[in-house]
PDB file of all heavy atoms in Angstrom:
ATOM      1  N   ALA A 248     -37.550   8.286 -17.510  1.00  0.00           N
ATOM      2  CA  ALA A 248     -37.027   6.920 -17.497  1.00  0.00           C
ATOM      3  C   ALA A 248     -36.225   6.659 -16.229  1.00  0.00           C
ATOM      4  O   ALA A 248     -35.504   7.531 -15.755  1.00  0.00           O
ATOM      5  CB  ALA A 248     -36.150   6.698 -18.722  1.00  0.00           C
ATOM      6  N   VAL A 249     -36.368   5.446 -15.678  1.00  0.00           N
ATOM      7  CA  VAL A 249     -35.619   5.095 -14.478  1.00  0.00           C
ATOM      8  C   VAL A 249     -34.131   4.961 -14.848  1.00  0.00           C
ATOM      9  O   VAL A 249     -33.771   4.182 -15.732  1.00  0.00           O
ATOM     10  CB  VAL A 249     -36.123   3.775 -13.866  1.00  0.00           C
ATOM     11  CG1 VAL A 249     -35.268   3.390 -12.650  1.00  0.00           C
ATOM     12  CG2 VAL A 249     -37.592   3.895 -13.472  1.00  0.00           C
ATOM     13  N   GLU A 250     -33.287   5.737 -14.166  1.00  0.00           N
ATOM     14  CA  GLU A 250     -31.844   5.672 -14.430  1.00  0.00           C
ATOM     15  C   GLU A 250     -31.134   4.703 -13.491  1.00  0.00           C
ATOM     16  O   GLU A 250     -30.146   4.078 -13.852  1.00  0.00           O
ATOM     17  CB  GLU A 250     -31.217   7.057 -14.301  1.00  0.00           C
ATOM     18  CG  GLU A 250     -31.623   7.982 -15.422  1.00  0.00           C
ATOM     19  CD  GLU A 250     -30.956   9.340 -15.331  1.00  0.00           C
ATOM     20  OE1 GLU A 250     -30.755   9.841 -14.210  1.00  0.00           O
ATOM     21  OE2 GLU A 250     -30.657   9.905 -16.389  1.00  0.00           O
ATOM     22  N   THR A 251     -31.631   4.619 -12.261  1.00  0.00           N
ATOM     23  CA  THR A 251     -31.027   3.686 -11.316  1.00  0.00           C
ATOM     24  C   THR A 251     -32.006   3.433 -10.169  1.00  0.00           C
ATOM     25  O   THR A 251     -32.985   4.163 -10.004  1.00  0.00           O
ATOM     26  CB  THR A 251     -29.688   4.222 -10.772  1.00  0.00           C
ATOM     27  OG1 THR A 251     -29.020   3.192 -10.026  1.00  0.00           O
ATOM     28  CG2 THR A 251     -29.892   5.425  -9.868  1.00  0.00           C
ATOM     29  N   PHE A 252     -31.744   2.368  -9.433  1.00  0.00           N
ATOM     30  CA  PHE A 252     -32.509   2.089  -8.215  1.00  0.00           C
ATOM     31  C   PHE A 252     -31.599   2.272  -7.011  1.00  0.00           C
ATOM     32  O   PHE A 252     -30.416   1.944  -7.046  1.00  0.00           O
ATOM     33  CB  PHE A 252     -32.998   0.634  -8.182  1.00  0.00           C
ATOM     34  CG  PHE A 252     -34.143   0.328  -9.097  1.00  0.00           C
ATOM     35  CD1 PHE A 252     -34.075  -0.752  -9.960  1.00  0.00           C
ATOM     36  CD2 PHE A 252     -35.301   1.090  -9.081  1.00  0.00           C
ATOM     37  CE1 PHE A 252     -35.127  -1.069 -10.801  1.00  0.00           C
ATOM     38  CE2 PHE A 252     -36.368   0.790  -9.917  1.00  0.00           C
ATOM     39  CZ  PHE A 252     -36.285  -0.294 -10.780  1.00  0.00           C
ATOM     40  N   GLN A 253     -32.215   2.769  -5.957  1.00  0.00           N
ATOM     41  CA  GLN A 253     -31.580   2.778  -4.656  1.00  0.00           C
ATOM     42  C   GLN A 253     -32.470   1.871  -3.810  1.00  0.00           C
ATOM     43  O   GLN A 253     -33.685   1.903  -3.968  1.00  0.00           O
ATOM     44  CB  GLN A 253     -31.632   4.213  -4.136  1.00  0.00           C
ATOM     45  CG  GLN A 253     -30.756   4.507  -2.967  1.00  0.00           C
ATOM     46  CD  GLN A 253     -30.953   5.951  -2.517  1.00  0.00           C
ATOM     47  OE1 GLN A 253     -32.050   6.498  -2.594  1.00  0.00           O
ATOM     48  NE2 GLN A 253     -29.886   6.556  -2.045  1.00  0.00           N
ATOM     49  N   ARG A 254     -31.846   1.050  -2.956  1.00  0.00           N
ATOM     50  CA  ARG A 254     -32.688   0.151  -2.164  1.00  0.00           C
ATOM     51  C   ARG A 254     -32.308   0.205  -0.701  1.00  0.00           C
ATOM     52  O   ARG A 254     -31.170   0.489  -0.365  1.00  0.00           O
ATOM     53  CB  ARG A 254     -32.545  -1.282  -2.689  1.00  0.00           C
ATOM     54  CG  ARG A 254     -33.141  -1.441  -4.090  1.00  0.00           C
ATOM     55  CD  ARG A 254     -33.150  -2.896  -4.516  1.00  0.00           C
ATOM     56  NE  ARG A 254     -31.825  -3.396  -4.760  1.00  0.00           N
ATOM     57  CZ  ARG A 254     -31.395  -4.611  -4.367  1.00  0.00           C
ATOM     58  NH1 ARG A 254     -32.188  -5.424  -3.699  1.00  0.00           N
ATOM     59  NH2 ARG A 254     -30.181  -4.990  -4.640  1.00  0.00           N
ATOM     60  N   ARG A 255     -33.276  -0.059   0.168  1.00  0.00           N
ATOM     61  CA  ARG A 255     -33.001  -0.098   1.597  1.00  0.00           C
ATOM     62  C   ARG A 255     -33.883  -1.148   2.258  1.00  0.00           C
ATOM     63  O   ARG A 255     -34.952  -1.491   1.752  1.00  0.00           O
ATOM     64  CB  ARG A 255     -33.199   1.261   2.249  1.00  0.00           C
ATOM     65  CG  ARG A 255     -34.618   1.802   2.172  1.00  0.00           C
ATOM     66  CD  ARG A 255     -34.817   2.916   3.186  1.00  0.00           C
ATOM     67  NE  ARG A 255     -34.716   2.398   4.537  1.00  0.00           N
ATOM     68  CZ  ARG A 255     -34.477   3.125   5.616  1.00  0.00           C
ATOM     69  NH1 ARG A 255     -34.272   4.413   5.512  1.00  0.00           N
ATOM     70  NH2 ARG A 255     -34.435   2.577   6.803  1.00  0.00           N
ATOM     71  N   PRO A 256     -33.442  -1.685   3.405  1.00  0.00           N
ATOM     72  CA  PRO A 256     -34.298  -2.618   4.141  1.00  0.00           C
ATOM     73  C   PRO A 256     -35.393  -1.844   4.863  1.00  0.00           C
ATOM     74  O   PRO A 256     -35.219  -0.658   5.127  1.00  0.00           O
ATOM     75  CB  PRO A 256     -33.355  -3.271   5.160  1.00  0.00           C
ATOM     76  CG  PRO A 256     -32.049  -2.566   5.065  1.00  0.00           C
ATOM     77  CD  PRO A 256     -32.166  -1.437   4.089  1.00  0.00           C
ATOM     78  N   ILE A 257     -36.484  -2.508   5.180  1.00  0.00           N
ATOM     79  CA  ILE A 257     -37.545  -1.832   5.933  1.00  0.00           C
ATOM     80  C   ILE A 257     -37.470  -2.186   7.411  1.00  0.00           C
ATOM     81  O   ILE A 257     -38.259  -1.711   8.206  1.00  0.00           O
ATOM     82  CB  ILE A 257     -38.947  -2.175   5.380  1.00  0.00           C
ATOM     83  CG1 ILE A 257     -39.162  -3.688   5.395  1.00  0.00           C
ATOM     84  CG2 ILE A 257     -39.127  -1.610   3.989  1.00  0.00           C
ATOM     85  CD1 ILE A 257     -40.618  -4.061   5.289  1.00  0.00           C
ATOM     86  N   ARG A 258     -36.512  -3.018   7.773  1.00  0.00           N
ATOM     87  CA  ARG A 258     -36.246  -3.280   9.183  1.00  0.00           C
ATOM     88  C   ARG A 258     -35.042  -2.429   9.585  1.00  0.00           C
ATOM     89  O   ARG A 258     -34.394  -1.812   8.749  1.00  0.00           O
ATOM     90  CB  ARG A 258     -35.928  -4.761   9.397  1.00  0.00           C
ATOM     91  CG  ARG A 258     -34.859  -5.258   8.422  1.00  0.00           C
ATOM     92  CD  ARG A 258     -34.209  -6.536   8.856  1.00  0.00           C
ATOM     93  NE  ARG A 258     -33.322  -7.076   7.837  1.00  0.00           N
ATOM     94  CZ  ARG A 258     -32.136  -6.574   7.498  1.00  0.00           C
ATOM     95  NH1 ARG A 258     -31.676  -5.471   8.086  1.00  0.00           N
ATOM     96  NH2 ARG A 258     -31.400  -7.144   6.561  1.00  0.00           N
ATOM     97  N   ALA A 259     -34.740  -2.424  10.900  1.00  0.00           N
ATOM     98  CA  ALA A 259     -33.555  -1.709  11.354  1.00  0.00           C
ATOM     99  C   ALA A 259     -32.325  -2.370  10.744  1.00  0.00           C
ATOM    100  O   ALA A 259     -32.281  -3.595  10.616  1.00  0.00           O
ATOM    101  CB  ALA A 259     -33.477  -1.745  12.871  1.00  0.00           C
TER     102      ALA A 259
END
Side-chain angles (χ1 to χ4, degrees):
V249 177
E250 290 182 324
T251 190
F252 285 129
Q253 194 182 34
R254 292 187 290 138
R255 62 163 294 160
I257 57 162
R258 50 162 173 72

